[in-house]
Amino acid sequence: MRWWKMLGLAGIMGVAATGVVIARAERRRRAYTPEEIRTRLRERVNDQPEGLKS
């Protein structure tokens, strides 16, 4: 029965680690100014092949 406890603990730690990763990504995403976002999106559109641009 002890391995169930270890499995549960590992699951809880995995969920916590995932939450940390998501929080960091969200913080990084919100750090951009609207102008930086526009610039990055325009660069991505310009890097696409001609047939994919809309």
Side-chain angles (χ1 to χ4, degrees), residues 8-30:
L9 257 154
I12 291 170
M13 289 173 58
V15 169
T18 302
V20 169
V21 169
I22 291 171
R24 283 184 182 173
E26 183 69 15
R27 225 178 298 128
R28 206 175 292 138
R29 185 185 68 80
R30 289 180 184 229

Side-chain angles (χ1 to χ4, degrees), residues 6-48:
M6 296 301 284
L7 185 63
L9 257 154
I12 291 170
M13 289 173 58
V15 169
T18 302
V20 169
V21 169
I22 291 171
R24 283 184 182 173
E26 183 69 15
R27 225 178 298 128
R28 206 175 292 138
R29 185 185 68 80
R30 289 180 184 229
Y32 293 122
T33 65
E35 188 56 42
E36 287 174 324
I37 293 172
R38 279 187 212 98
T39 302
R40 289 174 59 116
L41 287 173
R42 288 181 183 132
E43 288 172 359
R44 286 172 56 184
V45 168
N46 289 333
D47 290 343
Q48 288 183 353

